[in-house]
Amino acid sequence: AREALAGSYNIPAVKTLDYTGVPSTIDLAHGMGIRTGLWRGLDFYGLALALGGGEVSPLEITNTYATLANGGIFVGSNPILEVNEPDGSQLYSLDREQALARGQRALSAETSFMVTDVLADDEARWSTFGRDNILELPELGDRPVAVKTGTSFDWLDNWTVGYSTDLVVGVWVGNPGSVPMRQLDGLTGAAPIFRDIMVAAHGPSFADLLSGPDGNPDAAEFTRPDGIIEVDICEATGGLPVQGVDTRKEYADQRHPPVTNCDQLTQAQVQDLRAALQHFTDYGELYTDEGAGSLMRYSAMVGGGMGIPDDPVEPTPTPSPTPTPTPTPTPTPTPVPPTPTPVPPTSTPVPRATATPQTTVTPVRPPGQATPTPSDSDNGGVTVPNLFGAAEGTAIGIIESLGLTVGDVIYITQSDLPPGVNITSVGVGEVFFQAPAPGTQVSSNGSISIAVRAE
């Protein structure tokens, strides 16, 4: 979930919307700050809402991020800081502390913190944006910045919205009249502007503007609510660890901690994994080394091998209720820079190949030669050899002889696999699955992962 949100993965976003439901999601959006958009009726919106299929303005979506920055409390944007008479006497002054106190809670402080922590996690974005990308702001020192980019369909709009503890910034980039741009996305269009504003605003020139209600600078770190706990989770699946697995720390709401072990799946997850393995079998050449390795590790963890568990579990979902506040705007304690005219909502498009899910996953002999035959391509890359049926040691030797590295090596027995998945066409100790697929072109420093039949 952390990498999916930080890396702008579309499929997890759609699945999340499907789980929570369109009506409750729209209610939450209205409560967090989308006040003039998403009012066309529930029959108008579907799961495409997760990918930009709804109308919002840059000001309101920026105010929504301000709700996250305020710990889940909605405070409407207010462009007026003070009103003075010609003689200097003051008629009105914004009391930011009181404005926050009068705000309306849209979601829990714990949920806001967990979302903020993900959006501020530079490393979680690396799988999509790479290391040292433009969303990382070392100029701000130890002050984290939670940030998200987006790009609408057909390159009509792109945006970057984010916040520190003392400032929310929303940037929209697009052409007037809904004219498509030349494949300009949120990372290359709006993000550079966002970065420049954030760096400049946190400089000495704006120190007074960004001070807290008491006149002192706000704390650099986001405040961790008392209801947040740290738990150990399984690295491969995000479930509760079992003996012998790699783990990492993750934040959780103490009211809703993880409830399933990392080697358990729900029936819905079983269906998803079965479809993913079938797609991988049919279209393995489309997967990156990282994607292939992740799928292999996940499947090995939950199925004891590249397979499906026989005893799926069905934990009772307990999504947190979210109240719907009235649409009466109130002043905001968080400065929000001016933003362009209203535009449709956005999300980063990630083209993906699709395939019809099957009911069983049967490893098959990949097309090509029956024995491994490495070859170099003409463009300096390497053609992945066919390792099907090769002994493990032979396969590793071939991989290394090409200057490639050995990725994951997973050992699987026939008994690990469910009915319909047969690996007896290879002998014990031989390769029956590999990623990337044979014939794929990889860089000269790439890697190949293999699955070996064990007994």
Side-chain angles (χ1 to χ4, degrees), residues 158-404:
N158 69 72
W159 53 263
T160 298
V161 184
Y163 51 94
S164 61
T165 58
D166 50 14
L167 178 67
V168 183
V169 174
V171 178
W172 170 82
V173 172
N175 289 321
S178 295
V179 177
M181 292 174 286
R182 297 179 181 177
Q183 298 189 354
L184 191 66
D185 61 20
L187 191 66
T188 56
I193 302 173
F194 171 87
R195 179 191 179 91
D196 288 347
I197 293 174
M198 269 291 182
V199 172
H202 286 89
S205 300
F206 296 93
D208 292 340
L209 177 63
L210 297 185
S211 61
D214 59 0
N216 296 317
D218 288 330
E221 297 283 345
F222 296 105
T223 302
R224 173 176 163 177
D226 293 338
I228 288 292
I229 58 175
E230 273 193 294
V231 295
D232 290 316
I233 63 170
C234 171
E235 183 72 40
T237 69
L240 294 172
V242 296
Q243 186 175 4
V245 303
D246 294 331
T247 64
R248 65 177 175 86
K249 296 287 188 181
E250 185 56 273
Y251 288 123
D253 187 331
Q254 64 180 4
R255 299 168 299 175
H256 309 292
V259 294
T260 57
N261 291 337
C262 63
D263 56 355
Q264 293 178 306
L265 291 182
T266 66
Q267 187 60 50
Q269 290 169 330
V270 166
Q271 295 173 358
D272 286 344
L273 178 57
R274 195 182 296 277
L277 289 172
Q278 182 63 56
H279 188 271
F280 190 27
T281 300
D282 295 338
Y283 301 99
E285 70 278 1
L286 300 178
Y287 287 70
T288 63
D289 291 349
E290 182 179 359
S294 176
L295 177 59
M296 294 173 74
R297 289 190 297 273
Y298 182 88
S299 181
M301 173 56 62
V302 299
M306 287 287 290
I308 311 293
D310 294 325
D311 55 346
V313 297
E314 289 296 338
T316 303
T318 55
S320 300
T322 52
T324 304
T326 57
T328 303
T330 53
T332 179
T334 309
V336 178
T339 50
T341 55
V343 296
T346 60
S347 182
T348 305
V350 181
R352 306 292 288 180
T354 58
T356 303
Q358 305 295 319
T359 56
T360 61
V361 181
T362 303
V364 296
R365 183 181 298 274
Q369 303 177 17
T371 56
T373 305
S375 63
D376 293 328
S377 65
D378 295 333
N379 60 5
V382 179
T383 300
V384 174
N386 187 347
L387 303 175
F388 183 87
E392 177 187 351
T394 301
I396 291 175
I398 291 173
I399 294 171
E400 293 176 343
S401 71
L402 293 173
L404 304 175

